[in-house]
Amino acid sequence: MTFQEAHKNGKGGLVTRRGLSHDELYGRLLNYFHSIECRGIIGDVLICDCWTNGKIAITLMGSKENPRFIVIADGNYMKLIEP
């Protein structure tokens, strides 16, 4: 599903956003979580290589020294996955 289809459908399918830097992911997470939670989420991904709350999934791409993140979410979390 493309970004446009997910945005139009709202609750449609899942969309991914690849290659987010630490700062990009942190800024996007702030739209949905408190700053302390954002740091915890990113820390969990760096330790366990992934994190999910059942609605959003985040995985580590690359090395822990130069992390990049993949976010998987549905149309309810457009601010995480929009270009």
Side-chain angles (χ1 to χ4, degrees):
M1 174 173 287
T2 66
F3 167 78
Q4 289 81 9
E5 290 170 331
H7 185 60
K8 182 173 60 176
N9 294 337
K11 297 181 182 180
L14 300 174
V15 181
T16 62
R17 176 62 48 206
R18 295 175 39 117
L20 293 174
S21 69
H22 178 282
D23 293 340
E24 290 171 325
L25 177 59
Y26 181 79
R28 290 172 183 236
L29 286 171
L30 282 174
N31 291 301
Y32 302 99
F33 302 97
H34 188 274
S35 61
I36 294 171
E37 292 174 297
C38 294
R39 287 192 294 272
I41 290 167
I42 293 172
D44 288 347
V45 175
L46 291 172
I47 291 169
C48 301
D49 294 333
C50 62
W51 174 89
T52 186
N53 66 356
K55 298 176 184 174
I56 302 166
I58 303 171
T59 61
L60 182 63
M61 178 176 123
S63 68
K64 290 182 174 111
E65 294 77 29
N66 185 23
R68 291 298 206 183
F69 301 90
I70 300 171
V71 176
I72 304 160
D74 68 17
N76 291 316
Y77 297 94
M78 280 293 123
K79 292 181 181 178
L80 276 173
I81 56 177
E82 63 190 358

